[in-house]
Amino acid sequence: MPELPEVEALTRTLRPLVAGRKVLGCRVIHAIAVQPTSRRGAEQAAAAIEKNARGRTIRAVARRGKYLLLLLDRGCLVLHFKLDGQLIWFPTRRISGHVDVAFEMRGGTLAFVDRRHFGRVQWVDAPEDVPGIRKMGVEPLSREFTAARLAELLRTSRRPLKAFLLDQAKIAGLGNIYSNEAMWRARVSPQRPAYRVTRQQARRLHKGIVDVLRRALECCLRPAPDFRDPNWWFQGLETILAVYGRAGEKCRRCGGTIRRIEQSGRSTFWCLRCQR
DNA sequence: CCTGCTACCTGATGGC
DNA sequence: TGCCATCAGGTAGCAG
């Protein structure tokens, strides 16, 4: 379940490993992992990825929301991990286990792996060609994301706050876990319509979002991702979570009971007593 | 434009 | 123990 902090940690860790390297070969092993996913479309897209990635040099490794971008000297590889996607680095061209897409380079092979086939790889001329990226909202760890900006965005939406926070076109990179945590930190109810979030709550929410993402990013970088270990995944993030997955437990702040409710088909965890 | 619903996948989990 | 049903999650695409 990589959200912004996890993808940012992957990006930073991958950068020194592949930036400046040439993609000697690209193999799409499971076409289901490429976008678009219709049967014919996927095969065409798979061929396009292989053709367009081969021989290109990786100029930069970047992140936009939950997307990881490999900016090539011509075009761009766009990776989305969805729930369980991961990256594995093999020190040779020999790969093993389940691999969906392999990028061969001097010194090793970068593999995109997702047994559940939710994650996607695609090649585009420019990142903005991906609709999800073109519509992407403000980056919450950037300077443009201020309390005033958040308040302004909140005013424009009548949806429940939870749905607002999950909307990537409003704020980039929040998922089910950190949106829950941000609302708990801000003491705001997930059911409150976005436009009814008060000025003061918006200030607290802004701080809650920034703080929880920064804290999670610290955790994600220590220890840093290990692409060489196929079983590696982020550890210890549960310890920074106050509400997510804690239904029935006591609220750390007020002692109330954490509840799990369903909002637009997703789990929301919150404390009815102190989140208003 | 805005909003909400569902399909997409398959490993993990829970019930009997 | 084994089997089956259900769940989890982010996004695209579609309907209203």
Side-chain angles (χ1 to χ4, degrees), chain A residues 9 28-29 44 63 103 106 112 158 177 222 228 232 266-267:
Chain A
V28 175
I29 296 153
Q44 285 177 7
R63 178 192 60 75
F103 303 100
R106 184 173 56 77
F112 180 89
R158 303 186 64 81
I177 295 176
R222 284 196 303 241
R228 287 160 204 273
W232 185 91
R266 295 283 176 269
S267 290

Side-chain angles (χ1 to χ4, degrees), chain A residues 23 26 28 31 33-36 41-59 67-80 101 103 120-131 133:
Chain A
V23 179
C26 170
V28 175
V34 304
Q35 185 78 8
E43 278 163 29
Q44 285 177 7
I49 288 176
E50 292 182 344
K51 174 171 159 286
N52 289 310
R54 184 172 298 131
R56 303 267 64 94
T57 298
I58 299 171
R59 287 275 184 241
Y67 291 88
L68 189 152
L69 312 174
L70 297 174
L71 296 148
L72 310 175
D73 52 359
R74 185 176 168 284
C76 177
L77 286 162
V78 180
L79 279 52
H80 198 299
V101 185
F103 303 100
R120 293 290 180 262
V121 176
Q122 61 185 312
W123 183 90
V124 286
D125 275 318
E128 301 294 308
D129 292 345
V130 177
I133 293 178

Side-chain angles (χ1 to χ4, degrees), chain A residues 124-144:
Chain A
V124 286
D125 275 318
E128 301 294 308
D129 292 345
V130 177
I133 293 178
R134 189 166 56 244
K135 295 188 203 115
M136 191 76 68
V138 62
E139 282 287 338
L141 293 182
S142 73
R143 288 201 168 167
E144 295 113 80

Side-chain angles (χ1 to χ4, degrees), chain A residues 73-116:
Chain A
D73 52 359
R74 185 176 168 284
C76 177
L77 286 162
V78 180
L79 279 52
H80 198 299
F81 303 100
K82 292 284 176 81
L83 310 185
D84 284 337
Q86 61 175 131
L87 292 173
I88 300 178
W89 178 262
F90 294 95
T92 67
R93 286 199 177 193
R94 188 193 206 90
I95 57 176
S96 60
H98 180 98
V99 171
D100 292 295
V101 185
F103 303 100
E104 296 165 354
M105 304 174 207
R106 184 173 56 77
T109 301
L110 179 67
F112 180 89
V113 175
D114 185 357
R115 307 189 74 94
R116 289 167 93 169

Side-chain angles (χ1 to χ4, degrees), chain A residues 5-6 9 178 215-225 232 234 237:
Chain A
E6 289 86 355
Y178 300 122
R215 181 81 186 84
L217 179 56
E218 282 173 22
C219 277
C220 288
L221 290 168
R222 284 196 303 241
W232 185 91
F234 298 100
L237 282 166

